Amino acid sequence: MTSIEASILLTPRSLAEALAWQADPATRGLPLAGGTDLMVQWEAAARPVPPRVLDVKSLPELRGLREAGDRIVIGAAVTHGELRRSALIQRRLPALAAAAATVGGTQIQALGTIAGNVANASPAGDLAPALLVAEGDVVVASLRGERAIPLRAFWTGYRKIDLQPDELIVRFELNALPAGAQEDFRKLGPRAAQAISKVMVAHRTRLVDGRIAEIALALGSVGPTAVRLPAVEAWLVGRAPDAGTLHDVEQRVAAAIQPIDDIRSTADYRRWVSGRLVRGFLEALRPA
């Protein structure tokens, strides 16, 4: 029997039952939905196998996609495949749909969930930049009630999140793409599919009279967590995406991030390509 098989699998019938179990240290388990990250980490001994695993995949309260005014509500157990195929996500959160399409292969997309990707807290997590530019919240629940945590604050460090032991991620509430705005996502990896990224970039931008009125820029694989670039965003507001802006923004993006050298890439390459990707986004902006 492997150490994975020695874990006790808990299968709650409702969210209320799951939260009750999580409230008691004697019955608390590590939440698992798709398992596409956790199973690999356990098999490779990169993460200790917990004594109990809480299977939340089938809880109806964690399912579903819907529009609520100017927000999109996504259940924690919604898969990458559902995000990729959803007409609502393609229309109102196109960067997220594009990011979900880059997660592993078809089998991974069919199993892996948005909450699992976020809770794994990898700086190379494919969904993180697209989520950050949407300026949304992670909603978590316990027997004490719910709390909404801005995505910017949810990742507190390398593979660390703002989640208490008795809490579960239940949904995401994201700001839909406003009228007249544009967004996109780009992942650069060693091959076209099933690759961990060297760099990921997402943007959400609104032009008015040919100038940038609003912009959000987020990058992954360039620091301990995915990051927004507030100083670069503030500098871009009011500027036209002309040759001078395109030239300068490359340098500013490269100076704003703190990548590392690792097996996938060098820090210098990540700085250079991050600037080029942001420049490419601005070059592709269409007049409103």
Side-chain angles (χ1 to χ4, degrees):
M1 178 179 290
T2 69
S3 57
I4 296 174
E5 293 168 334
S7 290
I8 297 172
L9 181 65
L10 305 173
T11 307
R13 292 164 294 182
S14 67
L15 177 60
E17 185 173 47
L19 295 179
W21 288 351
Q22 292 301 90
D24 184 350
T27 56
R28 183 176 297 154
L30 182 70
L32 180 142
T36 55
D37 283 315
L38 289 175
M39 295 297 289
V40 172
Q41 293 171 19
W42 292 337
E43 191 65 34
R47 180 174 181 149
V49 178
R52 291 172 298 278
V53 173
L54 184 73
D55 181 6
V56 299
K57 178 73 171 181
S58 300
L59 295 181
E61 298 94 335
L62 306 188
R63 305 292 306 170
L65 290 159
R66 61 185 173 88
E67 199 166 6
D70 59 358
R71 287 207 141 190
I72 306 300
V73 181
I74 303 173
V78 168
T79 67
H80 303 107
E82 290 172 300
L83 292 172
R84 176 183 185 175
R85 294 187 300 270
S86 167
L88 174 63
I89 301 301
Q90 292 170 9
R91 185 176 77 255
R92 304 304 306 274
L93 295 168
L96 182 60
T102 72
V103 178
T106 302
Q107 297 92 334
I108 297 296
Q109 291 174 18
L111 289 173
T113 64
I114 181 172
N117 192 275
V118 168
N120 193 42
S122 167
D126 293 303
L127 303 188
L131 293 170
L132 283 173
V133 300
E135 288 278 13
D137 297 322
V138 185
V139 180
V140 304
S142 69
L143 290 185
R144 293 172 284 111
E146 290 188 349
R147 64 186 180 111
I149 309 159
L151 272 157
R152 283 205 215 193
F154 191 67
W155 292 293
T156 60
Y158 177 73
R159 293 195 181 276
K160 295 180 180 178
I161 56 176
D162 180 7
L163 189 72
Q164 298 303 308
D166 64 336
E167 291 178 323
L168 294 175
I169 299 173
V170 292
R171 65 183 179 275
F172 296 80
E173 298 180 356
L174 308 174
N175 295 330
L177 186 69
Q182 307 165 54
E183 69 175 31
D184 203 355
F185 169 86
R186 179 78 186 275
K187 172 180 175 176
L188 184 68
R191 55 185 182 271
Q194 301 195 49
I196 299 176
S197 69
K198 296 175 182 286
V199 172
M200 298 171 296
V201 185
H203 84 99
R204 177 178 286 189
T205 307
R206 185 171 65 88
L207 291 179
V208 175
D209 297 329
R211 294 184 177 273
I212 296 169
E214 297 177 272
I215 185 165
L217 294 170
L219 290 89
S221 291
V222 296
T225 66
V227 295
R228 283 279 296 270
L229 301 183
V232 178
E233 295 167 359
W235 178 80
L236 283 167
V237 170
R239 297 178 183 271
D242 54 25
T245 298
L246 296 176
H247 175 271
D248 291 348
V249 77
E250 286 192 62
Q251 313 305 316
R252 289 176 179 270
V253 169
I257 59 177
Q258 298 179 329
I260 62 170
D261 294 318
D262 63 17
I263 193 171
R264 298 192 306 278
S265 192
T266 66
D268 286 343
Y269 178 74
R270 285 188 165 109
R271 290 190 189 93
W272 175 80
V273 79
S274 295
R276 295 297 293 179
L277 289 173
V278 172
R279 176 184 179 131
F281 283 153
L282 298 184
E283 286 181 315
L285 289 175
R286 304 176 300 280

